[in-house]
C-alpha cells in the first residue's frame, strides 16, 4: 500500500500537467473500483478547471473551480501515468514494471492545458483504489478525514501532542503510531524506520515515553524528530516505490535502497557499534522489522 511519501510523489508528478488544465472529458471504463464511482462523475467534472492538487494523509485531492474536490486513493496497485501529444513516455528502469495492459486503465482524464491536450490515466489491476467527489468545504467532515490526526510533517506533530495521546496507553508503540487518529498517513514502512532511528522497540508500551506528569520524555522527543526526518527523506527521494507503486514519470523511487531495517531480516544492524541483526516479528498481522540490541 503506498504510504504518504509515495502519494506526495504522485501529487508532485501530476501537478505540472493537471493544475490549470480543463477537464474536457472524464472517461470511465467501468462503474466501480473498490467502491462504485460517484453518481454523474463524468458529467459533474466535464468542463471544470483544475485549480490545485493537494494531499491529506494517503489521499490525493484534486480541487475544481466549482468548489468540488476529487478524492483519489491508490489502493495497493493503483498508479497514474501521463500521456501527451500521442506519446507514451515511460522512462526509467523498473524493478516492478507498471501494468501496460489497457484493460486496467479504468479512469481517464482528457485535459486541455496551455501546452495542448493530454491524458492522465488511472490504472489499477487489483482495483483496491477508489475515487469520490465531494465539496471542498465539506472535506473535514468527509468520513475518511474527520477523525484523522495531524500529518507527520510540519509543526502540527510535536512531542507535546504525542504525549497527550500516549499517556496511560499500554498499546505497543508500533500499533499506536499506525493509528491514523493519532498521526495521519504514517504507515508500516516508515514507522519501522522511525523507531530504528529513535532506538525504540516496536513492542514497548506507548505510555513509557511519557512522564507521570504527562510530559514527553527524551525518547519521545527523539521519536518525533525521527518521524519527521524519515518522512522528509522519503519525500526528497521520491517515495519508496515498493512493489506495484511507481512514480508518475515512470521512474522508480530510490529511498527503498536506504532502508535501515524494513525488509532486512537477518541483515546486520546499521547502528554503529551495535553488532546486532535485524529481526522480523508480527504485530497485529503486520511485519515489524527492528534490532532488539539497540532498540529498547
Amino acid at each position: 500500500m503506498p504510504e504518504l511519501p509515495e502519494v506526495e510523489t504522485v501529487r508532485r508528478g501530476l501537478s505540472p500537467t493537471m493544475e490549470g488544465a480543463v477537464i474536457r472529458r472524464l472517461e470511465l471504463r467501468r462503474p466501480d473500483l473498490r467502491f462504485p464511482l460517484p453518481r454523474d462523475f463524468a458529467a459533474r467534472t466535464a468542463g471544470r478547471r483544475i485549480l490545485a492538487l493537494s494531499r491529506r494523509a494517503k489521499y490525493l485531492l484534486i480541487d475544481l473551480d466549482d468548489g468540488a474536490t476529487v478524492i483519489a486513493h491508490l489502493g495497493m496497485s493503483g498508479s497514474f501515468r501521463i500521456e501527451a501529444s500521442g506519446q507514451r513516455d515511460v522512462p526509467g528502469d523498473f524493478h516492478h514494471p507498471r501494468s501496460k495492459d489497457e484493460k486496467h486503465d479504468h479512469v481517464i482524464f482528457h485535459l486541455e492545458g496551455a501546452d495542448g491536450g493530454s491524458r492522465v490515466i488511472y490504472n489499477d489491476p487489483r482495483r483496491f483504489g477508489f475515487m469520490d467527489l465531494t465539496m471542498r468545504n465539506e472535506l473535514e467532515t468527509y468520513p475518511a478525514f474527520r477523525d484523522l490526526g495531524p500529518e507527520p510533517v510540519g509543526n502540527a506533530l510535536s512531542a507535546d501532542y504525542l504525549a497527550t495521546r500516549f499517556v496511560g496507553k499500554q498499546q505497543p508503540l508500533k500499533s499506536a503510531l499506525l493509528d491514523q487518529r493519532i498521526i495521519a498517513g504514517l504507515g508500516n514502512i516508515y514507522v519501522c524506520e522511525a523507531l530504528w532511528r529513535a532506538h525504540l522497540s516496536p513492542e514497548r508500551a506507548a505510555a513509557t515515553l511519557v512522564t507521570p506528569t504527562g510530559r514527553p520524555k527524551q525518547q519521545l522527543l527523539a521519536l518525533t524528530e525521527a518521524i519527521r526526518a524519515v518522512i522528509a527523506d522519503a519525500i526528497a527521494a521520491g517515495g519508496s516505490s515498493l512493489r506495484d507503486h511507481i512514480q508518475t514519470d515512470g521512474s522508480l523511487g530510490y529511498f527503498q535502497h536506504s532502508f535501515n531495517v524494513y525488509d532486512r531480516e537477518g541483515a546486520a544492524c546499521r547502528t554503529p557499534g551495535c553488532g546486532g541483526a535485524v529481526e522480523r516479528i508480527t504485530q497485529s498481522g503486520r511485519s515489524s522489522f527492528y534490532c532488539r540490541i539497540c532498540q529498547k
Side-chain angles (χ1 to χ4, degrees):
M1 187 77 72
E3 298 195 20
L4 184 154
E6 285 73 59
V7 180
E8 178 63 17
T9 297
V10 169
R11 185 195 70 79
R12 295 182 182 189
L14 291 175
S15 289
T17 297
M18 297 190 76
E19 289 185 344
V22 172
I23 303 173
R24 290 189 289 108
R25 179 166 65 96
L26 187 65
E27 180 181 350
L28 309 177
R29 294 187 171 179
R30 58 177 304 112
D32 58 4
L33 295 170
R34 189 195 323 175
F35 309 118
L37 291 168
R39 183 186 299 271
D40 301 324
F41 195 17
R44 292 169 65 187
T45 55
R48 301 265 60 101
R49 184 177 298 277
I50 298 172
L51 299 182
L53 268 67
S54 57
R55 179 194 53 73
R56 179 69 170 114
K58 303 174 186 179
Y59 298 85
L60 180 69
L61 305 178
I62 305 171
D63 291 338
L64 308 181
D65 62 358
D66 64 346
T69 296
V70 177
I71 301 170
H73 192 281
L74 297 176
M76 295 183 69
S77 63
S79 64
F80 287 94
R81 73 175 183 270
I82 300 168
E83 294 183 358
S85 303
Q87 297 180 351
R88 176 182 292 187
D89 184 17
V90 187
D93 296 323
F94 296 108
H95 183 59
H96 297 282
R98 83 163 78 221
S99 168
K100 294 182 174 65
D101 192 336
E102 290 190 0
K103 73 182 181 183
H104 300 309
D105 292 347
H106 303 310
V107 179
I108 303 176
F109 293 79
H110 295 266
L111 304 177
E112 188 68 39
D115 298 328
S118 61
R119 302 198 308 165
V120 173
I121 301 167
Y122 178 73
N123 181 289
D124 192 349
R126 302 183 190 182
R127 299 203 310 276
F128 285 169
F130 72 86
M131 291 189 187
D132 203 355
L133 188 66
T134 191
M135 299 306 294
R136 179 75 189 188
N137 59 10
E138 297 176 357
L139 280 178
E140 289 190 6
T141 59
Y142 184 78
F145 299 154
R146 62 190 175 201
D147 295 324
L148 287 179
E151 301 261 329
V153 295
N155 295 326
L157 181 66
S158 67
D160 287 337
Y161 162 75
L162 288 179
T164 66
R165 302 305 303 267
F166 287 176
V167 65
K169 188 180 289 292
Q170 298 306 311
Q171 183 181 23
L173 188 52
K174 166 83 176 296
S175 299
L177 292 173
L178 287 176
D179 187 340
Q180 299 298 294
R181 296 168 298 179
I182 295 177
I183 304 176
L186 199 58
N188 192 46
I189 295 172
Y190 299 114
V191 167
C192 289
E193 291 297 303
L195 289 172
W196 177 83
R197 291 192 187 198
H199 305 297
L200 294 171
S201 169
E203 296 183 296
R204 73 179 292 165
T208 62
L209 304 185
V210 184
T211 70
T213 60
R215 298 292 300 164
K217 293 182 179 179
Q218 185 60 42
Q219 294 107 314
L220 187 51
L221 293 169
L223 176 60
T224 305
E225 290 305 312
I227 291 170
R228 288 176 176 166
V230 77
I231 293 296
D233 288 348
I235 291 173
S240 62
S241 300
L242 291 174
R243 296 185 180 272
D244 295 314
H245 176 74
I246 50 123
Q247 297 185 45
T248 53
D249 69 352
S251 61
L252 184 68
Y254 59 84
F255 188 67
Q256 61 176 309
H257 302 303
S258 298
F259 288 159
N260 289 298
V261 286
Y262 186 81
D263 206 25
R264 295 188 66 243
E265 181 181 8
C269 178
R270 290 176 173 167
T271 298
C274 171
V278 176
E279 299 180 28
R280 182 179 70 84
I281 60 174
T282 301
Q283 294 179 285
S284 302
R286 308 192 70 177
S287 293
S288 295
F289 297 89
Y290 81 114
C291 172
R292 70 171 63 247
I293 302 300
C294 67
Q295 290 180 245
K296 302 296 184 179

